[in-house]
Amino acid sequence: MLPDLQRLATGIVDEVANAGQCDVVELAGRMAGYTAAALLGIPREHGHRLHELFMITHSSPDVVGEEAFHSAFAEMAAMGFEALAAKRADPADDVLSAYAQMKVDGRPITDIEFFGNFILLADGSLDTSRNLISAGMKLLFDHPGVRRRLADDLDALLPGAIEEMLRLLSPVVYIRRLATEDTVLAGQRIAKGDRVVICYGSGNRDERVYDDPEEFDIDRKRGDHMAFGGGGPHFCVGSHVGRAEGMVMIRELLTRLPDIAQAGPETWAATSLTSGLASLPVRYTPQST
Ligand code: HEM
């Protein structure tokens, strides 16, 4: 997907290059939304809208209100079932067409199974990648020395910088599992049926594994962070796409808008499931496209 992702990133930066200011979270949200749309095979506006809808459903209902929560979910359901009808009628070379034609134990996938996977894929790919790009830029604004080195040698340093951003940011805060048997984990007794929360950001700061775990060090040799999960069958299926989105968009921002700088205080999204910014205002010398 790299050439497609590059075209998306160039187009997104083209739209704001002249303006001299924008919000990086908005750009990152577009990158994530457009990428999800291309992968799943849905209209680009739906990808972007899904990104906004997941921002609502991931937020605490105390903050967004029950009504907004339910209407966002209803809109997602309408979009998912519309996609199912479209992919059954006219399949194309995309992930949702493959799901719509899929057989499970010899019988066609049910509507609700399709919808569950639609939600899982869309949910998995939106604010995660957005948070990597936007909070990754914030890390670079806060570490000007690292940023200078990175901008001078993107080819050599960007892959390591992306891994370190993933480690330190841990865009997914936690996932919950249900214990299927009695067990003991790190001295803690867990009974069958217990709900166990895995906090990725904590594992990613394990002082037994990482020296100075709070430091943003793009030269770390270890690439075994758990920002995409700790291994096993549920390891993030989109890890390569997520990394590629981060790589392409951060390179585009640093090279096309070389003096990009934070222009005001950032705000954080009101969700505990994912960790990321709600806004990050920036300014830069306007560029002609
Ligand atoms: C920086 C970007 C991303 C981060 C940090 C991230 C992180 C994660 C994490 C922590 C999990 C849970 C793993 C587990 O339960 O063991 C996960 C699962 C998942 N991710 Fe991602 N993800 C990212 C991008 C994506 C993208 C781009 C897609 C889609 C193309 C995606 C699709 C999924 C799906 C479908 C699952 C569920 C897999 C399963 O339960 O079998 N993710 N991701």
Side-chain angles (χ1 to χ4, degrees):
M1 289 184 74
L2 270 175
D4 291 342
L5 297 184
Q6 184 57 58
R7 267 191 295 278
L8 288 180
T10 305
I12 291 166
V13 175
D14 278 352
E15 279 175 32
V16 298
N18 266 316
Q21 57 178 5
C22 71
D23 187 331
V24 169
V25 177
E26 168 60 22
L27 302 190
R30 267 190 232 177
M31 185 68 191
Y34 295 173
T35 304
L39 187 76
L40 299 181
I42 56 175
R44 203 179 257 195
E45 320 78 71
H46 283 197
H48 192 237
R49 181 68 185 141
L50 276 168
H51 163 251
E52 292 169 348
L53 295 174
F54 277 113
M55 284 302 288
I56 298 171
T57 57
H58 283 183
S59 298
S60 161
D62 294 347
V63 176
V64 292
E66 291 281 348
E67 206 174 303
F69 189 88
H70 290 302
S71 83
F73 199 77
E75 200 178 327
M76 281 182 202
M79 228 183 259
F81 288 114
E82 183 188 321
L84 176 59
K87 301 301 172 190
R88 280 202 178 131
D90 187 15
D93 180 19
D94 55 54
V95 170
L96 289 185
S97 293
Y99 272 95
Q101 314 305 319
M102 189 177 280
K103 291 240 165 32
V104 182
D105 297 334
R107 47 117 185 126
I109 190 170
T110 64
D111 290 9
I112 207 71
E113 284 166 345
F114 175 92
F115 180 64
N117 282 287
F118 168 80
I119 290 291
L120 188 60
L121 277 165
D123 197 2
S125 60
L126 292 168
D127 53 353
T128 49
S129 305
R130 184 207 62 189
N131 292 351
L132 167 62
I133 296 165
S134 50
M137 287 301 292
K138 170 76 182 143
L139 275 175
L140 295 178
F141 296 148
D142 290 347
H143 297 83
V146 176
R147 172 185 171 167
R148 261 192 308 279
R149 268 188 68 215
L150 178 62
D152 283 347
D153 197 357
L154 280 162
D155 287 342
L157 299 178
L158 190 54
I162 294 287
E163 294 311 310
E164 177 65 351
M165 287 172 185
L166 282 161
R167 182 191 72 81
L168 207 51
L169 298 170
S170 297
V172 176
V173 175
Y174 69 89
I175 292 275
R176 196 200 71 196
R177 293 279 197 269
L178 195 67
T180 54
E181 55 190 57
D182 292 350
T183 188
V184 176
L185 202 60
Q188 181 76 36
R189 289 157 68 92
I190 294 170
K192 180 178 176 176
D194 276 355
R195 290 158 185 206
V196 181
V197 164
I198 307 161
C199 295
Y200 298 112
S202 174
N204 278 336
R205 284 169 174 71
D206 188 339
E207 62 283 357
R208 293 166 306 178
V209 178
Y210 298 102
D211 296 334
D212 301 321
E214 295 294 341
E215 285 300 306
F216 177 46
D217 174 4
I218 64 171
D219 300 317
R220 282 185 202 277
K221 292 288 173 277
R222 304 187 70 100
D224 56 357
H225 61 74
M226 49 182 73
F228 292 115
H234 292 286
F235 187 81
C236 177
V237 75
S239 60
H240 300 297
V241 180
R243 283 189 171 101
E245 284 179 70
M247 210 96 82
V248 165
M249 194 66 186
I250 288 178
R251 177 188 285 270
E252 192 74 6
L253 288 169
L254 292 178
T255 51
R256 299 270 311 278
L257 313 172
D259 61 355
I260 186 169
Q262 188 165 352
E266 73 279 6
T267 58
W268 287 84
T271 159
S272 59
L273 176 62
T274 55
S275 159
L277 298 171
S279 67
L280 179 61
V282 291
R283 61 168 174 266
Y284 41 88
T285 306
Q287 310 285 329
S288 51
T289 49

